[in-house]
Amino acid sequence: MRYGLVLMAGLFGLAGCISPTPERVRAYSDDAMTLYQRGEYAAARESFQAALALQPDDVTLLYDVGQCCDHLGQTAQAQQFFNECLTRDANHAPSRHALAAALVRQGRWADASRMADDWLRRSPQLAGPYALDGWLWHQAGDLPRAQARLQQALERDPKDTKALTELALVYEGMQRPDRALVLYERALQQDPKQPEVAKRRQFLLTSGAARPQPDE
């Protein structure tokens, strides 16, 4: 089925004579995202690959296919897609995070740390490397170091959703649900299509979390 979708996408591209129709790419992508959010990762991968066949230079679509592979337990294939993303865009933060998460799951903490350190040395002006390093410190259980790194990330980009959501999780670990709530809401303002973040926000509200007072 997957190859049928990809072939169909290719034929549609040819029918366009000059370039793929953006509407077709968007239709495949929207279908894939719906399937992905339902947990139907194999079907989502097929639709993402169909979109990718029409728009092969799209790094986001490459990453999305890798995410589907990762959820399907196809770790090697997923990492190939993430590495391809980084070949095309060395600062593609989602791929960096996905690779680091895969390394941590494999117990390769030193490799994940080296990747974060290298990114920090090469791109200290970006929020992404600090957010990744903060995530690693959080995974290691060092909340103060995680907090410091994530705050550095937000100093560089106050709208970085990864840094916002990760710092919110750190504040939850520090028993500061009030601060976490504000950060989840800021993250959702930047990107409302984050179901897990929306769930955390609702959980905190249901648990009675209140926003911090101005002098806190």
Side-chain angles (χ1 to χ4, degrees):
M1 180 180 178
R2 177 184 63 182
Y3 296 109
L5 282 170
V6 172
L7 178 59
M8 185 181 297
L11 291 174
F12 282 149
L14 290 173
C17 296
I18 298 175
S19 63
T21 304
E23 287 75 13
R24 294 192 190 109
V25 174
R26 192 159 48 246
Y28 277 121
S29 298
D30 290 346
D31 179 61
M33 190 56 65
T34 298
L35 292 166
Y36 184 90
Q37 291 174 348
R38 290 178 186 166
E40 300 177 33
Y41 301 118
R45 182 183 60 189
E46 291 176 352
S47 289
F48 278 131
Q49 287 181 313
L52 187 61
L54 290 168
Q55 199 161 285
D57 294 329
D58 193 309
V59 175
T60 299
L61 290 173
L62 272 173
Y63 168 77
D64 290 334
V65 175
Q67 281 285 82
C68 291
C69 291
D70 201 25
H71 281 290
L72 291 167
Q74 300 166 346
T75 304
Q77 291 183 42
Q79 291 185 18
Q80 287 177 356
F81 279 107
F82 299 144
N83 280 313
E84 177 62 24
C85 289
L86 295 175
T87 297
R88 301 184 186 197
D89 178 3
N91 291 317
H92 191 253
S95 293
R96 290 275 177 199
H97 282 280
L99 280 172
L103 291 171
V104 167
R105 289 197 302 270
Q106 295 165 19
R108 297 167 58 188
W109 282 87
D111 290 335
S113 294
R114 274 193 295 271
M115 183 174 70
D117 290 342
D118 178 65
W119 194 18
L120 272 168
R121 281 194 299 271
R122 289 189 295 101
S123 303
Q125 77 283 5
L126 298 179
Y130 296 89
L132 176 58
D133 201 48
W135 178 84
L136 285 169
W137 283 116
H138 189 192
Q139 296 301 303
D142 193 329
L143 298 185
R145 285 195 179 187
Q147 178 188 11
R149 275 304 199 208
L150 292 163
Q151 287 174 334
Q152 286 179 297
L154 292 174
E155 287 170 5
R156 285 155 178 81
D157 183 1
K159 298 180 180 180
D160 188 287
T161 55
K162 180 64 178 180
L164 288 167
T165 55
E166 191 62 30
L167 185 55
L169 289 168
V170 168
Y171 276 131
E172 284 199 64
M174 292 176 161
Q175 305 303 312
R176 290 304 309 267
D178 52 346
R179 293 187 182 275
L181 177 61
V182 171
L183 290 168
Y184 285 138
E185 291 179 340
R186 283 174 58 188
L188 289 169
Q189 286 175 356
Q190 299 306 315
D191 180 8
K193 295 181 180 179
Q194 297 184 85
E196 293 305 316
V197 176
K199 287 179 184 177
R200 291 307 309 165
R201 172 185 176 275
Q202 188 57 45
F203 171 78
L204 292 180
L205 288 172
T206 303
S207 302
R211 292 164 186 78
Q213 297 301 313
D215 59 346
E216 288 190 88

